[in-house]
Amino acid sequence: MTIRVLLADDQALLRQAFRTLLDTADDISVVGEAADGRQAVSLTRELHPDVVIMDIRMPDADGLTATAQICADPQLHDSRVLILTTYETDDYVAQALRAGASGFIGKGIGAAELLDAVRTIAHGETLLSPAATRSLIARFLATPTDHTSELLDALTPREREMTMLVATGLSNNEIAAQLFVSPFTVRAHVQRAMNKLQARDRAQLVVIAHQTGLVNRTHPGR
């Protein structure tokens, strides 16, 4: 299947560069471009892309506002947002994940890394740049919210283990290798955990794991 991508960046030259790169991949196609956050939301509702590559600093509505609107729309459940920005600050990472973004990477990445990032997000996994370290995510997301530790009671021990490993940044394949199970088994457990915790995607599962203290309790040294 071809991954349909919408580009949202206020710099036309960057949009053209990203389009040229993405269109070189046989499995990726750019279906639209937006020059600001408001247009990004409108085009996402019109085109229903698989992945929206979103800049943060844009006129009208910024990328974080646009991300929140897209992720809050039930009709756009299958459109995932990948934040691609020059500003990899701790606060932006936390705001992006809270808004519902599925990934956060810097514009300094290479061409192959960007293509892989789009594929990762399209397949329902979370992607964070090395700059968005686990400790920083935990510090900014471990704030009082409606996500209490009682939520974890609904999970089986295996689902709880999978959730913890997802929250530490491992992919399905990496979890499978660590636990000596198949990636299909990992995906099934993670999906059941997401359903029980009412997580929209893996990024929200990461947020819940940190907010409930699952990662800190399991690995208190982190």
Side-chain angles (χ1 to χ4, degrees):
M1 295 180 61
T2 300
I3 301 171
R4 303 171 70 253
V5 174
L6 172 67
L7 294 172
D9 196 300
D10 62 337
Q11 298 185 48
L13 186 60
L14 281 179
R15 292 200 309 272
Q16 182 58 48
F18 290 143
R19 174 186 279 272
T20 300
L21 168 62
L22 294 170
D23 282 342
T24 62
D26 294 335
D27 58 337
I28 299 174
S29 176
V30 176
V31 297
E33 297 182 22
D36 56 57
R38 190 185 305 275
Q39 189 178 20
V41 175
S42 176
L43 286 177
T44 301
R45 288 172 174 159
E46 176 186 344
L47 301 173
H48 292 269
D50 301 304
V51 176
V52 181
I53 298 180
M54 185 82 72
D55 188 22
I56 289 182
R57 294 191 176 183
M58 294 187 292
D60 281 339
D62 62 31
L64 296 175
T65 300
T67 297
Q69 292 179 11
I70 291 171
C71 296
D73 191 335
Q75 296 184 352
L76 301 179
H77 183 272
D78 294 329
S79 294
R80 304 185 181 278
V81 177
L82 171 62
I83 299 291
L84 179 60
T85 180
T86 305
Y87 308 98
E88 295 184 80
T89 66
D90 306 336
D91 193 38
Y92 277 154
V93 174
Q95 289 184 60
L97 291 183
R98 286 181 180 138
S102 297
F104 191 104
I105 55 178
K107 288 183 177 178
I109 65 171
E113 293 174 297
L114 178 58
L115 296 176
D116 287 342
V118 170
R119 295 183 181 109
T120 298
I121 297 302
H123 294 154
E125 297 198 30
T126 303
L127 182 69
L128 298 175
S129 67
T133 62
R134 297 168 188 167
S135 60
L136 293 175
I137 295 299
R139 177 156 60 90
F140 275 89
L141 297 182
T143 56
T145 67
D146 294 334
H147 294 318
T148 65
S149 58
E150 295 177 358
L151 282 175
L152 301 178
D153 294 340
L155 303 182
T156 66
R158 196 59 157 174
E159 291 166 354
R160 184 184 296 242
E161 181 180 25
M162 297 288 186
T163 300
M164 182 273 295
L165 292 173
V166 168
T168 60
L170 298 182
S171 67
N172 283 353
N173 288 338
E174 290 170 333
I175 295 173
Q178 182 169 319
L179 299 181
F180 302 103
V181 297
S182 71
F184 178 81
T185 298
V186 175
R187 181 180 293 273
H189 282 296
V190 171
Q191 186 61 53
R192 282 196 291 270
M194 289 171 55
N195 291 339
K196 289 181 179 180
L197 298 177
Q198 298 182 346
R200 179 180 184 274
D201 53 30
R202 287 173 70 102
Q204 286 196 354
L205 190 64
V206 171
V207 172
I208 293 173
H210 283 288
Q211 289 176 332
T212 55
L214 174 61
V215 177
N216 291 337
R217 284 201 302 269
T218 309
H219 293 284
R222 294 185 176 178

